[in-house]
Amino acid sequence: MTRTGRYLLDNQRTEAGERFDAFAALFDPTTFRHLDGLGVGPGWRCWEAGAGGTSVVSWLAKKVGPTGKVVATDIDISRLTGAARPPVEVRVHDIGAEQPPAEGFDLVHARLVLVHVPERERALRSMVQALRPGGRLLLEDADPALQPLPCPDEHGPEQQLANRLRHGFRTLLADRGADLSYGRRLPRLLREAGLRGVEADAHFPLTSPACAALESATVRQIRADLVAQGLATDEDIDRHLANVASGGMDLATAPMISAWGRKA
């Protein structure tokens, strides 16, 4: 993330912790599968950029062991301090404005970060610069424009309301510089950055308790913004949160696209 003050989903909010827990449940298996496929192991030097929470950082720390290193960075490290023990080093860092925290990394990884960073081109250059020759870059980002609806099966008023509120959320994100069609461009961007052996896939959760938890936490976190911008009323939001809590809705996320390659 960046220090522009424009980021909509502040890590300091209570709901942020709920969101990180939901992200871990939804996306950690996919992320860990890709990291395993890249060969992460003892002695590797890794940079977890825009880490936010600790689930990926802790997994990497176990993989690299005492001979490796994991540098975890974010503009807000309040949720990372518990992981700050060897081999993990935690640093405050603005990926969109500052030089890499170091160079010669075997792995650089960022998940659900660059879509929110207005200076994403500079951030991508920074991550490639930080890799050693032969080092791996794994970027994972959402593409809300590819599938914009929390309820693709819009069969009733509850689903229609959910989709209307998600439209408001996307409006708020775009107003703050998010690129809502960024995920689909990752393979091309990695090739244009000079990486070799670029591959990609996508993960699209359609319904689960974690999807519902993420929806509830997100709407509660952005509630004031939705109301202030005239995108929803308090009554709309209360009704939607009650619908989500009822457990009768199939709630999807945007597809998360993972792309990876190696530096020449």
Side-chain angles (χ1 to χ4, degrees):
M1 306 307 171
T2 66
R3 290 195 186 95
T4 62
R6 301 175 70 191
Y7 184 46
L8 181 64
L9 299 162
D10 185 354
N11 287 358
Q12 295 286 343
R13 293 283 300 272
T14 300
E15 295 89 352
E18 300 175 40
R19 285 170 48 79
F20 287 136
D21 288 345
F23 286 144
L26 289 166
F27 299 125
D28 276 2
T30 297
T31 295
F32 297 163
R33 173 171 58 86
H34 290 314
L35 292 172
D36 266 331
L38 294 176
V40 177
W44 277 46
R45 300 181 71 250
C46 305
W47 174 20
E48 181 67 13
T54 62
S55 65
V56 176
V57 173
S58 297
W59 187 94
L60 287 171
K62 291 178 182 177
K63 283 288 185 176
V64 306
T67 61
K69 186 169 188 177
V70 179
V71 179
T73 66
D74 206 320
I75 59 168
D76 180 353
I77 60 171
S78 57
R79 297 185 181 274
L80 290 170
T81 53
R85 55 186 177 274
V88 176
E89 177 183 340
V90 173
R91 297 191 196 179
V92 176
H93 179 260
D94 184 341
I95 193 172
E98 298 176 353
Q99 291 298 306
E103 294 190 5
F105 287 107
D106 300 290
L107 169 77
V108 177
H109 173 245
R111 184 173 77 187
L112 301 174
V113 173
L114 294 188
V115 66
H116 297 289
V117 177
E119 304 85 358
R120 57 188 61 86
E121 293 181 5
R122 176 174 179 171
L124 177 55
R125 289 195 300 270
S126 176
M127 288 188 283
V128 173
Q129 176 187 339
L131 289 168
R132 66 164 177 81
R136 271 70 167 176
L137 176 63
L138 171 62
L139 295 182
E140 302 182 293
D141 252 309
D143 195 314
L146 192 63
Q147 194 299 108
L149 305 176
C151 296
D153 179 20
E154 191 181 73
H155 70 277
E158 296 87 354
Q159 290 74 25
Q160 293 167 4
L161 174 60
N163 289 345
R164 179 161 62 85
L165 292 181
R166 181 65 61 87
H167 176 75
F169 178 34
R170 289 166 51 220
T171 298
L172 294 174
L173 287 172
D175 286 348
R176 287 159 174 78
D179 184 342
L180 301 181
S181 58
Y182 188 67
R184 73 190 72 178
R185 293 200 283 274
L186 287 176
R188 172 173 58 83
L189 294 174
L190 266 58
R191 286 194 301 271
E192 290 176 351
L195 298 187
R196 307 285 181 83
V198 172
E199 299 181 54
D201 66 13
H203 179 51
F204 175 28
L206 273 167
T207 186
S208 73
C211 287
L214 179 61
E215 176 70 11
S216 176
T218 300
V219 170
R220 284 184 282 115
Q221 184 161 356
I222 65 172
R223 177 180 193 130
D225 297 280
L226 288 170
V227 173
Q229 295 299 316
L231 298 168
T233 65
D234 281 314
E235 291 75 16
D236 290 333
I237 295 169
D238 287 339
R239 187 165 68 256
H240 176 59
L241 292 173
N243 292 338
V244 173
S246 74
M249 300 179 71
D250 292 320
L251 292 157
T253 71
M256 186 182 73
I257 298 174
S258 304
W260 58 95
R262 69 180 186 279
K263 189 172 183 178

